[in-house]
């Protein structure tokens, strides 16, 4: 029941850019399920920038929704599910924000310096470029095949 609630009720997600110069707002459930395959496609979770539920007319359903979110947060914070990686100087770690829940452990600045650089890809642009290139190659191959005849 918790999974069904978290994958069907849209919450409000927001980000102010950290300095309140931006206003990015998105409405979506905590868990995004692909309607065709039934697979989990995306997990949304942020204790600081969203996940605000709309007011539901049924107070019992609202209580279940908050209980579901609380249980989800407990699972995400459970040490038994955490995986730690230590990056060394020059290491690069690339992952999809949409597919991997991530965070950082505590750091003592007296033990050295720490530098993180984030970068974001517009996946629609990446996917579009892939399909344009694929289509172009298919056309070129078809033309080359026709010329060979």
């Amino acid at each position: 029941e918790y999974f069904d609630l978290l994958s069907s009720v849209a919450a409000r997600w927001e980000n102010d850019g950290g300095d309140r110069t931006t206003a990015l707002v998105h409405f979506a459930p905590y868990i995004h399920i692909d309607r065709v395959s039934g697979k989990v496609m995306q997990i949304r979770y942020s204790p600081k920038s969203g996940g605000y539920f709309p007011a539901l007319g049924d107070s019992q359903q609202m209580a279940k929704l908050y209980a579901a979110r609380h249980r989800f947060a407990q699972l995400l914070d459970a040490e038994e599910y955490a995986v730690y990686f230590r990056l060394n100087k020059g290491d690069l770690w690339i992952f999809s924000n949409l597919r991997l829940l991530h965070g950082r452990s505590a750091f003592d600045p007296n033990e050295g310096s720490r530098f993180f650089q984030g970068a974001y890809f517009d996946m629609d642009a990446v996917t579009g470029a892939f399909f344009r290139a694929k289509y172009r190659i298919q056309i070129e191959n078809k033309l080359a095949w026709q010329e060979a005849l």
Side-chain angles (χ1 to χ4, degrees):
E1 182 177 26
Y2 284 176
F3 184 87
D4 291 339
L5 286 169
L6 293 175
S7 62
S8 63
V9 178
R12 188 181 86 223
W13 303 93
E14 56 188 49
N15 187 329
D16 67 5
D19 60 3
R20 299 183 181 208
T21 61
T22 331
L24 303 174
V25 178
H26 181 69
F27 293 89
Y30 274 72
I31 303 169
H32 171 70
I33 306 297
D34 181 78
R35 293 179 191 195
V36 175
S37 68
K39 292 181 180 179
V40 173
M41 299 302 294
Q42 183 175 353
I43 300 289
R44 293 176 184 86
Y45 180 77
S46 176
K48 67 176 185 139
S49 62
Y52 309 113
F53 289 121
L56 301 178
D58 181 346
S59 62
Q60 289 182 337
Q61 192 73 348
M62 198 75 210
K64 287 179 188 175
L65 192 56
Y66 279 104
R69 183 175 71 177
H70 179 72
R71 179 65 181 138
F72 190 52
Q74 286 177 322
L75 291 170
L76 295 177
D77 289 336
E79 188 64 30
E80 65 205 74
Y81 300 120
V83 177
Y84 294 91
F85 296 92
R86 180 174 177 85
L87 300 178
N88 296 306
K89 185 176 182 177
D91 285 350
L92 175 66
W93 189 20
I94 298 175
F95 57 88
S96 170
N97 258 2
L98 304 180
R99 300 289 299 160
L100 179 70
L101 294 170
H102 60 282
R104 295 176 200 92
S105 57
F107 175 75
D108 183 353
N110 295 319
E111 294 179 4
S113 61
R114 182 175 183 168
F115 174 76
F116 280 99
Q117 179 64 52
Y120 295 90
F121 289 94
D122 176 351
M123 288 309 295
D124 289 336
V126 172
T127 303
F130 168 78
F131 283 109
R132 281 192 307 277
K134 182 179 175 182
Y135 178 72
R136 187 183 73 243
I137 290 169
Q138 287 174 339
I139 294 295
E140 290 170 0
N141 287 342
K142 183 177 181 181
L143 292 175
W145 182 79
Q146 288 173 345
E147 289 175 8
L149 290 178

